[in-house]
Amino acid sequence: MADTQEIVSVLTESRVFPPPEQFSQRAHIRGMQDYQRLWDEAEKDPQKYWGERAREELFWKEPFQTVLDWKPPHARWFVEGKTNLTYNCLDRHLPRLKDKPAILFEGEPGDRRSITYGELSQQVNRLANGLKSLGVKKGDRVGIYLPMVPEAAVAMLACARLGAVHSVVFGGFSAEALQERMKDAGVKVLLTADGGWRKGAVVPLMKNVEAALTHATGIEKVVVLTRTGDGKLPAGPKFLAWDALVKGQSDTCEPEWVESEHPLFILYTSGSTGKPKGVLHSTAGYAMMASLTTRWVFDLREDDVYWCTADVGWVTGHSYVVYGPLMNGVTTVLYEGAPTQPGPDRFWAIIERYKVSILYTAPTAIRAFMRLGDGPVKQHDLSSLRLLGSVGEPINPEAWMWYRDVIGGGRCPVVDTWWQTETGAIMISPLPGATPTKPGSATFPLPGIHAEILDRDGKRVPRGQGGLLFVTKPWPSMLRTVYGDPERYVKTYFSELPGMYFTGDGARTDADGYVWLMGRVDDVVNVAGHRLGTAEVESALVAHAKVAEAAVVGRPDDLKGTALVAFVTLKHGNAPSDALKKELAAHVAKEIGAIARPDEIRFAEGLPKTRSGKIMRRLLRDVAAGNHSTQDTTTLEDLNVLAALRQNDE
Ligand code: PRX
């Protein structure tokens, strides 16, 4: 059970920024009365409200009759309807937008491509036909392990066209992580590349794939895109060049009209225990909310050049790089590489070059840029920007202000958007033409979203006090299950309070009812905007031959938000050393990926445990942060262990 007593709020922030008047005048939602009206409509008759939104947002091949069938904790939305997400992203725009850029791509080495809606549609159809020729059908799982290149979007859209379920694995994940995910999802075909560019070096994707394939995965075919040009296509009937697959394929492909609830994608995310969870999203509810929230939260207009800097390997890349923007017919920018490659001004150069009007990025990036100073920003004309967004972790007021003043020139509203892989779409966020913002607050839930802060008995906590964030009613883009593990779906999300979705986050509201997120309350830490289950890092450490036991906790960090600290006890006969620390850190990076590499490793004789043998991570969190714990230690088995850990610190 999550511990609400740990949630102590220390932030006091009183600045308020009303939306600029000029912005509001042209916005989709122009004031708090509009917001309130929508909120009331949704509250009064949720079925009518969501039904209307679904009819407006999507093309329906066959209409739905039932808006929601809710048998807690299982929801089915827009039940009898049929649609196709790729049709909604591409085909329906073609009469008007065929020649408009859909994707503006820039590779890290500086190569550029502009792909129109017409061209994108052709590429998607060719790949869809190619996949069909490999036997991919509706419901089959297709893995995607690609760099941030347009083909990543093409791959997702080709799957959706066929009703195949994609499972994208972030290109920064290791061979082990890839193998585990491919196997769990039962992937039949994997789409990958020889490599990608990151920080001036090649990320060896193909090598990782080959290493993954030395274990059982069930993968029948691997389609390899040439991106970096190093390395030959591996020999054997399993491997196929991307170019060869699409060559000669027709550029038309009839979309598979799927039921609303047909699964669209699986995306793995960290949990507090065990292996990563395959979050499963279905088609229509997800599509509808991705489309609606992109338009409302980013106040999209057709002439916007929109740039969300997330990788397609994360849910933000799914909803706000690919599906949301394309459903709205705007131009979306895709950048392959690192933010400071080759220089600290790369992001700002991109904004100037493409006249980006909307920027959506993560607090960790903003803080990193802040450290570099205003200089690199000032070298570029950022006057095209009109709106800024933040996602992935709490944004501290200082970074929020810097973002607003230095990047946005003081004129662009900032939307701090709260959501999760599981929610599929933004849930709590300002609407930029309506909501007065406060630095560091995600403000209010969107109309129809019942995000509530409750105590462990399900009672609403008073304003100002911290509690657990729940979503108390179903919403269309909610996850449908944990792939292959329906019990885990119920246990993880619906067992704190029956029938209500538990987010795992702590939050509070202030005197004006604004929502302030306060971070995770489970053993999941958020490092640089990416969720990591500490249990996964621990099990990677314990897999090392010299490690007996490990506990991993988060420590507040100025740049990354949270740094990972690992407490490690060694097996007999092994001595602590700096070399071993390095070895263990490298081991974790290999097992999971560089994002999980501990920032600090501390050797310990023993770990603090309860009498029942549970590691008391909350005590370790204090030790890691250098705080003297004021916490209850009555269940601690051996007080000396804690004293020894503290001594190590001094
Ligand atoms: O803890 C919250 C944090 O990120 C978690 C979701 O992570 P993930 O599923 O990887 O999705 C990230 C992108 C949507 C949440 O449980 N989080 C996300 N956005 C915010 C946030 N914390 C505070 N403020 C946010 N705006």
Side-chain angles (χ1 to χ4, degrees), residues 269 315-316 390-394 416-422 503 505 517 519-520 526 529 531:
T269 186
V315 73
T316 311
S390 167
V391 62
E393 58 188 307
D416 172 11
T417 64
W418 177 90
W419 61 295
Q420 307 179 295
T421 305
E422 293 87 342
T503 63
D505 280 359
L517 275 305
R520 306 287 307 177
N526 193 317
R531 245 200 292 174

Side-chain angles (χ1 to χ4, degrees), residues 11 77 161 395 516 532 562 601:
L11 265 182
W77 286 89
R161 189 147 196 104
I395 177 165
W516 298 76
L532 285 176
T562 307
I601 293 184

